[in-house]
Amino acid sequence: NAGVTQTPKFQVLKTGQSMTLQCAQDMNHNSMYWYRQDPGMGLRLIYYSASEGTTDKGEVPNGYNVSRLNKREFSLRLESAAPSQTSVYFCASSEGRTGIYGYTFGSGTRLTVV
Amino acid sequence: SQQGEEDPQALSIQEGENATMNCSYKTSINNLQWYRQNSGRGLVHLILIRSNEREKHSGRLRVTLDTSKKSSSLLITASRAADTASYFCATDVKGGADGLTFGKGTHLIIQP
């Protein structure tokens, strides 16, 4: 099935642990994004990649790093997890800046930091 | 900061009725998009309206855009139980950085 695949779907971390959230798309999209969704806050942009080899900060980048490994894959790394990073993380991709068809989202990673 | 704000935050109607959700935003946009999110799932793109368009239709969805008031509305006609979800507006800010800016969403409940 074409789309955006995120792994893992659920994760529990202890404060200070690190982990990488994986995202892959098979639609040949140039742009990829990482958002976090918190109750009552909507979605907030963490990082984005307009094309292979480029990454830029979004609204809430502190505590995160990203890697655009190739055109298909865009990973999000938490180097030292904090309880404030408990959230649902969504990866998305688009054809061009926003794309005439909008964004395609993955199903999300629910992360709990204890 | 939130660019888009949906109103109301929650809406409960009977199946078959029409549902209207509103979105207001603060700065000039290239386009505005609406997304649906079912509980525990990712967001699904519904419709995109460009800044030079005033109205757009897709099936039972009707979107309007008033750039002078910086507002948009999403109308779902003849609602069904399967329309129960959260609905988000998202804006592509003119001259802004890449990435859509999302509102906080309207939670729509369709009562059978």
Side-chain angles (χ1 to χ4, degrees):
Chain A
N1 292 334
V4 177
T5 302
Q6 289 185 238
T7 55
K9 293 191 184 302
F10 301 94
Q11 184 72 49
V12 178
L13 289 179
K14 294 182 179 178
T15 297
Q17 287 186 319
S18 63
M19 79 161 295
T20 300
L21 283 65
Q22 306 287 352
C23 174
Q25 54 91 8
D26 58 5
M27 296 169 287
N28 203 36
H29 285 170
N30 286 314
S31 299
M32 298 186 73
Y33 312 85
W34 277 106
Y35 284 86
R36 61 177 287 174
Q37 184 177 33
D38 302 296
M41 293 294 294
L43 279 78
R44 291 182 292 170
L45 183 64
I46 305 170
Y47 270 92
Y48 65 93
S49 171
S51 61
E52 184 179 352
T54 68
T55 61
D56 284 286
K57 296 178 181 179
E59 181 186 354
V60 289
N62 291 345
Y64 305 94
N65 286 300
V66 290
S67 295
R68 183 73 182 267
L69 304 170
N70 46 57
K71 192 170 186 179
R72 289 187 66 247
E73 298 171 290
F74 188 38
S75 62
L76 178 72
R77 183 161 178 83
L78 286 71
E79 290 291 351
S80 179
S84 61
Q85 293 178 306
T86 292
S87 188
V88 181
Y89 292 85
F90 288 100
C91 178
S93 69
S94 69
E95 185 178 322
R97 189 163 179 262
T98 56
I100 60 174
Y101 301 111
Y103 286 9
T104 301
F105 280 84
S107 57
T109 295
R110 189 172 296 273
L111 175 67
T112 302
V113 183
V114 298
Chain B
S1 63
Q2 299 294 134
Q3 156 78 330
E5 293 287 343
E6 291 89 343
D7 172 61
Q9 290 186 339
L11 178 62
S12 180
I13 61 174
Q14 295 295 123
E15 195 167 17
E17 294 181 338
N18 295 340
T20 299
M21 288 157 272
N22 302 297
C23 170
S24 59
Y25 57 92
K26 298 174 183 175
T27 58
S28 295
I29 59 172
N30 294 312
N31 65 67
L32 184 145
Q33 304 178 27
W34 286 90
Y35 288 80
R36 183 187 74 235
Q37 184 180 34
N38 292 94
S39 181
R41 307 294 293 273
L43 280 75
V44 174
H45 179 257
L46 294 176
I47 196 165
L48 180 154
I49 187 165
R50 292 184 171 83
S51 61
N52 61 352
E53 297 175 313
R54 293 296 167 259
E55 187 172 313
K56 206 161 182 180
H57 296 256
S58 177
R60 293 184 296 113
L61 304 181
R62 172 179 170 255
V63 169
T64 62
L65 179 65
D66 187 334
T67 53
S68 67
K69 294 181 179 178
K70 291 187 170 58
S71 67
S72 174
S73 67
L74 171 67
L75 169 67
I76 304 174
T77 60
S79 63
R80 306 167 181 169
D83 294 328
T84 293
S86 291
Y87 292 82
F88 295 86
C89 70
T91 51
D92 175 18
V93 175
K94 185 174 288 186
D98 285 10
L100 295 175
T101 303
F102 285 82
K104 297 179 182 180
T106 292
H107 185 52
L108 174 65
I109 297 173
I110 308 300
Q111 307 278 6

